[in-house]
């Protein structure tokens, strides 16, 4: 049985999804407030940038994978209008329920699907744009997930991967201090769960950096991939075109 990373731990591949589920079951109810606290609100700017780069048009069909509490899906739905469609998906029921409730609170009724990004229940060529924000890092087989994202896009369609990445060298030390000392402390104070936020910091360190992720996307069949570094590489937006 193959092994993989769960943060800095090595676990059996078939067990990783259970560990990841435990993290998001634990944080779902405080997920949004923690996002604002941990990123000092920056995640809103990163997502707004992603929505701008998506350049959606009225009538577009969009799939948001690992969409969680629905920030991107909500913004996308405003862009595609009533002729378009945005599907919110996630593997975790607690996160997806919060996402659906927040959409309903905002007056938006979108199709939602509980599904694994590594095995998507959609026909090939169904979407103009696919997005995955801060979700790919948690997937066991990133190559399979990227191949699935490529499959469900129409030719010429775009994949947007917003994810933590490798920070610029001068910021590495303060960023490590913040990640390993401050984040778990905030997690403990706000959610009573330091471990899930320790996992967050560790999972970022074992995730492919900008160039490695670009190579993975090319291997998955994206003919052209652009990389946009945000906040000195704390986060990167990769945009892949299915050529
Ligand atoms: C950090 S949250 C991101 C949520 C949202 N996209 C955002 O940017 O706020 C990561 C999400 O990835 C989901 N996830 C983890 N593994 C997944 C998988 N294999 N397939 C689909 N979603 C997954 C988790 O359940 C969680 O909701």
């Amino acid at each position: 049985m193959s092994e993989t990373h769960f943060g800095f731990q090595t676990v059996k591949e078939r067990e990783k999804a259970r560990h990841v589920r435990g993290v998001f079951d634990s944080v779902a109810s405080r997920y949004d407030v923690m996002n604002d606290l941990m990123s000092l609100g920056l995640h809103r700017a990163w997502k707004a940038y992603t929505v701008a780069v998506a350049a959606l048009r009225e009538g577009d069909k969009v799939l948001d994978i690992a969409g969680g509490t629905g920030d991107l899906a909500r913004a996308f739905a405003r862009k595609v209008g009533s002729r378009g469609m945005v599907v919110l998906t996630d593997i975790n029921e607690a996160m997806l329920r919060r996402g659906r409730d927040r959409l309903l609170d905002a007056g938006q009724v979108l199709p939602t699907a509980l599904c694994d990004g590594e095995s998507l229940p959609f026909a090939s060529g169904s979407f103009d744009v696919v997005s995955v924000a801060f979700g790919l890092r948690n997937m066991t087989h990133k190559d399979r997930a990227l191949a699935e994202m490529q499959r469900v896009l129409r030719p010429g369609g775009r994949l947007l991967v917003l994810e933590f990445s490798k920070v610029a060298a001068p910021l590495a030390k303060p960023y490590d201090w913040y990640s390993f000392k401050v984040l778990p402390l905030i997690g403990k104070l706000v959610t009573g769960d330091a471990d899930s936020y320790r996992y967050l910091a560790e999972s970022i360190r074992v995730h492919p950096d900008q160039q490695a992720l670009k190579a993975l996307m090319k291997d998955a069949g994206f003919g052209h991939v652009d990389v946009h570094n945000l906040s000195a590489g704390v986060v990167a937006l990769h945009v892949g075109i299915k050529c």
Side-chain angles (χ1 to χ4, degrees), residues 79-100:
K79 300 280 180 193
V80 302
S82 55
R83 288 194 300 113
M85 180 180 71
V86 178
V87 185
L88 172 66
T89 69
D90 200 284
I91 202 171
N92 184 291
E93 195 172 339
M95 292 292 283
L96 194 61
R97 277 184 192 282
R98 284 196 79 80
R100 193 192 51 188

Side-chain angles (χ1 to χ4, degrees), residues 18 23 32 44 56 64 73 81 87 93 119 121 128 135 139 147 164 183 210 221 226 230 236 240:
R18 181 172 56 81
V23 167
D32 295 305
R44 293 170 185 260
L56 294 173
D64 187 29
V87 185
E93 195 172 339
S119 174
D128 300 294
M139 296 182 192
F164 293 105
L183 275 189
Q210 286 86 339
D226 276 331
L230 306 176

Side-chain angles (χ1 to χ4, degrees), residues 128-197:
D128 300 294
V129 170
V130 171
S131 60
V132 56
F134 306 110
L136 186 65
R137 195 183 68 247
N138 301 295
M139 296 182 192
T140 308
H141 306 99
K142 295 171 192 29
D143 52 347
R144 275 186 215 166
L146 290 168
E148 276 293 87
M149 295 172 199
Q150 198 263 8
R151 181 183 65 77
V152 300
L153 275 170
R154 66 161 169 80
R158 282 156 290 141
L159 170 65
L160 304 165
V161 183
L162 182 66
E163 189 52 90
F164 293 105
S165 204
K166 191 165 174 71
V167 74
L171 291 184
K173 276 207 168 148
Y175 184 58
D176 277 351
W177 172 79
Y178 179 75
S179 307
F180 290 106
K181 300 285 184 216
V182 181
L183 275 189
L185 190 63
I186 304 178
K188 187 169 178 198
L189 292 174
V190 178
T191 67
D193 175 4
D195 286 347
S196 291
Y197 290 91

